[in-house]
Amino acid sequence: MARHILSQQHCMFRLTQGYKGSELLAKYRYSVCTRDSNSNVIHDRQNQRFTVTLDCDGGVNRAELKYTLTHDKHVALMSTEVPESHRGKGVAAHLAKAALDFVVKENFKASIYCWYIRKYVHENPHLGYQAYIEDK
């Protein structure tokens, strides 16, 4: 089933979970990026990335956070990429939270190579991610 959420800028965030074909559109009046849940972020373990599909003005874009599992219980958070048209709208923050929640849930240690993820951890000390971060 696909879920769609209308952002404050009237851009559609299209969130699919494996179904193709026609999908029902559900409209909400708040931005997907202000929600507490990471349910709209897809974790693709095989390709080691977190993604959000962004549908705006008929064009489909994808934002992603890439990581690598470097060795047992260690993750390298490599990069976040958000299409220019969606920058500054909280999409990267949503990806960073999902990835860091994954690190915590799996009790991994993480090295951060992405400036944005490092900034997110620094600006959100109340979430406790620092305990899982190793300096490079």
Side-chain angles (χ1 to χ4, degrees), residues 57-128:
D57 297 329
V60 176
N61 291 303
R62 183 177 70 211
E64 70 179 10
L65 182 150
K66 296 178 185 176
Y67 69 90
T68 58
L69 293 171
T70 57
H71 55 76
D72 193 34
K73 298 250 181 206
H74 193 270
V75 175
L77 300 173
M78 304 304 292
S79 65
T80 53
E81 297 177 26
V82 177
E84 192 169 333
S85 61
H86 290 83
R87 290 181 185 159
K89 298 177 183 173
V91 176
H94 211 57
L95 289 166
K97 183 173 185 341
L100 291 162
D101 286 347
F102 162 68
V103 169
V104 171
K105 180 180 176 187
E106 298 293 329
N107 198 28
F108 289 153
K109 288 292 184 181
S111 295
I112 300 175
Y113 297 92
C114 171
W115 70 268
Y116 182 82
I117 300 169
R118 188 171 298 285
K119 176 184 169 206
Y120 182 84
V121 170
H122 179 73
E123 290 178 351
N124 293 283
H126 61 283
L127 298 175

Side-chain angles (χ1 to χ4, degrees), residues 10-24:
H10 303 291
C11 293
M12 194 67 60
F13 287 81
R14 183 175 178 201
L15 314 167
T16 61
Q17 296 184 352
Y19 288 93
K20 296 181 180 177
S22 62
E23 300 162 337
L24 181 62

Side-chain angles (χ1 to χ4, degrees), residues 123-136:
E123 290 178 351
N124 293 283
H126 61 283
L127 298 175
Y129 296 131
Q130 297 89 341
Y132 296 88
I133 305 303
E134 292 181 346
D135 289 330
K136 35 177 196 174

